[in-house]
Amino acid sequence: MKTAHYTAYGPPSTIAFRDDPVPTPGAGEVLVRVHTAPVTAGDARMRSGRVPRGLGLMVRLALGLTRPRVAPGWAFAGEVAAVEPGAEGFQPGQKVFGLKGFKGGAHREYLTIAATGTILPLPETLDFRTGAAFFFGGLTAAEFLIDRARLQPGERLLVAGATGAVGGAAVQIGRHLGARVSATASPANHALARQLGAEAVSDYRDQPPSGPFDVIVDVMGKLAWPGARPLLAPGGRLVLITADLPQMLGAALRPRRDGRRILTGTNRDDLPSMRRLVDLHLAGAYTPALGPVLPFDQLAQAHSLAESFHKPGNIVVEMAA
Ligand SMILES: NC(=O)c1ccc[n+]([C@@H]2O[C@H](COP(=O)([O-])OP(=O)(O)OC[C@H]3O[C@@H](n4cnc5c(N)ncnc54)[C@H](OP(=O)(O)O)[C@@H]3O)[C@@H](O)[C@H]2O)c1
């Protein structure tokens, strides 16, 4: 089978393909024939080692000091090819989707995963492409809006950077929770932002939209506290999805400022969070925006697009039609 590998930290050309034996699932595991996988901002950051200021050393300690020692590919959609004894709940031929997490291993034609791990049946309302695009961004938006910012019906939500993986999910879930959603996006994406559920859309390169807002989701961290503070209502919450180390430390040490709050950090990517996102989807709250779909052998091009930070939704590569 064809597998992708990172040969060094660096540009997309550091991705190489190899022929490897199809893995043998162990007890309690399923073998999945991967049809599609997303190529996310996270995948691109792991490959390049380019992360927000101050986080580089921590990331290299976790991923590998001199090269990424993780395998490419955070998530997958595909079909069950084999089920080992003890792997309850799955049958050969069943459509599934799931996460290999930050250690990766989804950018390949077959993978193994524990049946009790981060794998779920693919709902009939999703195909392999939207299934691959489903979790990255959706999990982040759901956790930050529901658990951390505790967005309430009738509140005013601004999603700054509204049509990528995280922003596109935040607009939809915010709307579902009953918020009045404003968005910023580049002009080419204004129609998409409205389609996802934003009532008012403006260009982030112009003046910021006039507040006040109860919750601001700052996807790229470009507003940050100085830019967001004048737009936040009393009791307002700033969600910094992208934050550098000083911002993270600042938010941890002084989360409350002027009667407002800063929330940041990373989201969980566990089975309960995945199940909740599926429930939100089935309730009509969220369907991922699908970006470009490329063949698997164009993985490097997909990485270039992902690290532009101007893609709609999630980019997907296809291993099998
Ligand atoms: N905290 C966490 O747990 C977590 C989880 C997931 C992702 N992230 C981080 O979140 C960020 C976004 O990830 P993503 O997958 O959503 O990226 P993405 O799909 O590339 O989306 C980026 C979005 O930001 C917008 N944007 C680009 N430049 C901007 C600017 N100067 N001002 C305002 N908006 C701008 C883009 O709009 P246009 O396309 O219209 O230009 C697009 O909507 C990445 O830094 C990623 O590492 C963090």
Side-chain angles (χ1 to χ4, degrees):
M1 66 165 183
K2 188 165 172 168
T3 58
H5 298 267
Y6 298 133
T7 55
Y9 287 111
S13 57
T14 56
I15 296 168
F17 289 105
R18 209 163 66 193
D19 270 334
D20 282 319
V22 172
T24 308
E29 288 188 335
V30 294
L31 176 70
V32 176
R33 181 178 181 224
V34 182
H35 281 247
T36 49
V39 181
T40 69
D43 289 313
R45 288 197 186 283
M46 290 201 185
R47 187 215 73 237
S48 65
R50 271 208 309 267
V51 290
R53 189 167 54 110
L55 298 174
L57 180 61
M58 240 174 336
V59 165
R60 284 189 187 229
L61 286 174
L63 301 185
L65 276 180
T66 54
R67 70 176 173 84
R69 293 184 191 279
V70 293
W74 181 80
F76 62 91
E79 83 191 91
V80 174
V83 179
E84 284 305 297
E88 312 296 331
F90 293 97
Q91 299 88 42
Q94 187 178 6
K95 294 178 179 176
V96 291
F97 64 160
L99 308 180
K100 286 296 281 182
F102 91 95
K103 289 194 174 158
H107 290 163
R108 57 187 56 201
E109 290 174 326
Y110 288 87
L111 60 81
T112 56
I113 185 165
T116 53
T118 45
I119 177 171
L120 287 172
L122 186 71
E124 282 178 5
T125 42
L126 296 171
D127 58 20
F128 286 131
R129 292 174 171 192
T130 46
F134 190 78
F135 290 112
F136 192 88
L139 290 175
T140 312
E143 179 169 330
F144 275 99
L145 288 179
I146 298 170
D147 306 331
R148 304 218 206 171
R150 298 183 187 278
L151 183 69
Q152 299 300 312
E155 285 196 313
R156 296 152 296 185
L157 168 68
L158 170 65
V159 181
T163 54
V166 178
V171 170
Q172 294 182 66
I173 294 169
R175 175 78 180 254
H176 175 78
L177 295 172
R180 285 152 44 206
V181 184
S182 299
T184 65
S186 59
N189 287 326
H190 284 192
L192 175 58
R194 286 203 177 82
Q195 197 186 312
L196 293 169
E199 289 172 28
V201 187
S202 56
D203 186 346
Y204 53 73
R205 290 165 297 194
D206 297 340
Q207 288 298 311
S210 49
F213 298 100
D214 301 295
V215 174
I216 297 177
V217 175
D218 187 1
V219 171
M220 293 305 298
K222 298 289 182 186
L223 285 170
W225 175 247
R229 165 67 185 86
L231 307 178
L232 271 179
R237 290 84 82 203
L238 168 63
V239 176
L240 279 180
I241 300 291
T242 304
D244 60 22
L245 186 60
Q247 286 171 319
M248 282 186 178
L249 292 175
L253 296 172
R254 205 159 67 87
R256 288 175 199 283
R257 297 179 198 187
D258 303 343
R260 293 152 179 87
R261 245 180 334 134
I262 307 185
L263 304 163
T264 190
T266 53
N267 63 274
R268 298 181 300 271
D269 51 9
D270 53 16
L271 205 51
S273 308
M274 292 166 65
R275 286 207 174 105
R276 176 173 67 181
L277 194 64
V278 171
D279 289 343
L280 284 166
H281 166 70
L282 296 175
Y286 165 67
T287 293
L290 185 61
V293 179
L294 300 176
F296 186 31
D297 60 9
Q298 289 181 22
L299 184 60
Q301 288 89 322
H303 268 250
S304 301
L305 289 171
E307 63 192 3
S308 74
F309 296 111
H310 294 293
K311 65 181 170 55
N314 269 318
I315 299 167
V316 168
V317 288
E318 246 169 356
M319 289 75 175

